[in-house]
Amino acid sequence: MKFFLDTANIEEIREGVSMGIVDGVTTNPSLVAKEGRDLEEVAKEICDLVDGPVSLEVVSTQSQEIIDEARRLAKIHKNVVVKIPMIREGLKALHVVSQEGIRVNVTLVFSATQALLAAKNGASIVSPFVGRLDDISADGLDLISDILTIYDNYQFKTELLVASIRHPLHVLKAAKLGAHIATLPYKVLNQLVKHPLSDIGLQKFLADWERQKQLVHS
Ligand code: E4P
């Protein structure tokens, strides 16, 4: 399972990369706006830090404008994957740019049939939002299972990226289902590392070691 970081914050990405578990990064307009920085500038920094796909999202909503914006974003760096929203105009743009070799991550996916359309039109990645579905009492993980079944039925090469992850259980269940990628908020990455018994166990090992050292030297 690949882990992406779901952030445009350079410090979070630097820390994640130094831990060795970051295979890519996803951003969206909200995450970039939070940093208060120019998209191209921040994108270049992220691409220089991360040896893997970096998703940058278009903000246009008409197909020709989406196509132009996708071409511009793709030129920023070889690692860029262009995020296009799952709307009719987005599908039209996907059809054009995927044939030009631009890698596209279709975002804002909330149904398995949307994911089917994205794969048929050549998406490299599809991003179903599990947390936002859970928020409205629909089971986001059921959607992951359905999409994986459909992609397997037809041998689509599109990778399923689990987006809108809110907690470690989302990651665990997505991994058990065989999802290809999980994009993690930095907080969730840290939650995955932590276990109270690991911390308690280490404290005890170190305390015993100190006691032993004192005995040897007394
Ligand atoms: C990732 O590609 C999405 O932009 C992101 O996971 C959305 O997460 P949210 O629902 O927590 O905003």
Side-chain angles (χ1 to χ4, degrees):
M1 189 185 210
K2 293 180 211 164
F3 281 167
F4 289 5
L5 269 185
D6 197 21
T7 182
N9 182 281
I10 296 296
E11 286 320 308
E12 291 180 353
I13 294 168
R14 208 187 297 281
E15 179 63 16
V17 167
S18 73
M19 287 164 71
I21 53 85
V22 176
D23 301 301
V25 166
T26 50
T27 68
N28 62 38
S30 306
L31 291 170
V32 176
K34 200 167 131 196
E35 298 307 309
R37 297 184 58 197
D38 174 65
L39 170 66
E40 190 162 333
E41 182 190 288
V42 96
K44 280 183 180 151
E45 266 186 62
I46 297 173
C47 288
D48 287 343
L49 275 175
V50 177
D51 187 19
V54 174
S55 289
L56 305 180
E57 188 160 341
V58 299
V59 287
S60 309
T61 54
Q62 295 305 308
S63 62
Q64 189 53 53
E65 289 165 21
I66 296 174
I67 291 167
D68 294 341
E69 196 180 348
R71 288 175 180 152
R72 263 200 318 277
L73 291 175
K75 281 200 187 101
I76 292 177
H77 194 283
K78 66 175 174 41
N79 291 355
V80 170
V81 174
V82 179
K83 250 177 160 182
I84 293 181
M86 172 42 82
I87 53 175
R88 285 168 67 108
E89 295 295 304
L91 270 183
K92 292 180 200 169
L94 167 65
H95 179 59
V96 173
V97 299
S98 64
Q99 290 185 50
E100 294 173 1
I102 293 176
R103 289 179 297 164
V104 176
N105 172 353
V106 174
T107 189
L108 291 168
V109 166
F110 291 94
S111 77
T113 43
Q114 287 181 323
L116 176 58
L117 294 177
K120 276 181 69 65
N121 266 18
S124 299
I125 296 175
V126 68
S127 291
F129 280 37
V130 294
R132 293 192 197 187
L133 278 171
D134 289 0
D135 289 344
I136 57 157
S137 301
D139 190 337
L141 268 303
D142 279 351
L143 174 59
I144 301 305
S145 170
D146 286 348
I147 297 172
L148 287 172
T149 302
I150 291 168
Y151 282 10
D152 193 47
N153 285 347
Y154 297 100
Q155 304 293 299
F156 282 120
K157 295 212 161 40
T158 308
E159 290 188 289
L160 189 160
L161 179 153
V162 184
S164 189
I165 283 179
R166 300 277 160 78
H167 48 69
L169 260 189
H170 276 150
V171 183
L172 174 65
K173 289 182 177 171
K176 285 168 88 170
L177 287 170
H180 311 115
I181 309 166
T183 193
L184 310 174
Y186 185 68
K187 178 180 157 223
V188 176
L189 167 63
N190 285 315
Q191 286 174 319
L192 291 180
V193 177
K194 272 275 189 208
H195 195 292
L197 289 179
S198 303
D199 296 339
I200 292 165
L202 179 62
Q203 272 171 23
K204 177 148 181 14
F205 284 154
L206 294 179
D208 289 347
W209 188 250
E210 273 309 311
R211 223 180 344 268
Q212 161 69 5
K213 258 176 33 189
Q214 279 163 17
L215 280 176
V216 170
H217 292 112
S218 62

